Structures are given as structure tokens and as C-alpha cells.
Amino acid sequence: MAALPPLTSSQRAEALEKALATRRERANLMAQLKSGKLTLPALLAREDDVVGKLRVRRVLESLPGIGTIRAGQLLTDLDISERRRVQGLGAKQRARLLHLFPLQD
């Protein structure tokens, strides 16, 4: 593995700010899921890195009424790895998830 090139202090500060903005956006999305303002199908329809790099387990745990235990059961039932990220979901896995959590009004 090659070492990372040294960063200047301004490059480091810029990278930290970018990471912080991404974490804030992810936290905002999870809060919207929890409150019901955002549905799972709407979240999965986004194809950006912010959503793509979220772990599916974390997304499920953010849904109303689903906790740690239920999220684990759902992942097992849907044959989705605990470590799977949204961008790594296959077409069948995504379809099964959307079948369980259809668009709500």
C-alpha cells in the first residue's frame, strides 16, 4: 500500500470541511427518514455518493418503528450483508426492499 501524499494545511482543512458537510447531509437524511418526511423509495432513488455510501443497516434502523434487532432480521431475511452499502445493492435486493417499504403517502 502506498503512503498518502502529504497535504498542506489548507488542503487538510478543505478535506475536513468536505467530510463534515457530507456527514451533516447524511445525518439530515437519516433524521428525515426517522420523522417520515423522506420515504425509503425516495432515498433509494437518489444516486449520489452521500446516499450510496450509507450502510443499508443504518438506513433500516432510521426508519420509523425499526430498531437494531428488526433491522438485523430484515437484512437476514432479504439476504443482504450487514456491511452492504446502498450503492452495492443488487437489483433483486433493491426490489425486495422496495416491496417491503412501498411508497407511503
Side-chain angles (χ1 to χ4, degrees):
M1 234 165 113
L4 293 174
L7 298 176
T8 65
S9 58
S10 64
Q11 289 173 322
R12 190 175 303 112
E14 185 178 314
L16 287 172
E17 185 58 40
K18 183 179 175 185
L20 182 60
T22 301
R23 284 194 298 272
R24 282 184 183 141
E25 188 173 352
R26 285 188 187 128
N28 185 32
L29 287 171
M30 296 299 98
Q32 287 179 8
L33 268 178
K34 184 66 97 178
S35 70
K37 292 179 183 176
L38 181 67
T39 62
L40 183 62
L43 180 80
L44 293 179
R46 288 183 52 163
E47 294 187 10
D48 55 30
D49 276 349
V50 174
V51 173
K53 292 188 179 180
L54 280 169
R55 293 205 187 269
V56 176
R57 180 179 189 97
R58 184 169 174 217
V59 170
L60 290 175
E61 289 174 355
S62 295
L63 291 170
I66 297 183
T68 306
I69 302 290
R70 183 71 180 127
Q73 290 170 341
L74 286 169
L75 289 174
T76 301
D77 293 346
L78 296 170
D79 197 28
I80 298 174
S81 169
E82 291 275 331
R83 301 179 58 95
R84 177 71 60 208
R85 295 184 187 272
V86 171
Q87 69 187 3
L89 284 173
K92 290 180 182 178
Q93 292 172 328
R94 190 177 288 263
R96 287 192 302 246
L97 257 177
L98 291 173
H99 178 74
L100 280 179
F101 302 97
L103 198 60
Q104 299 124 0
D105 294 327

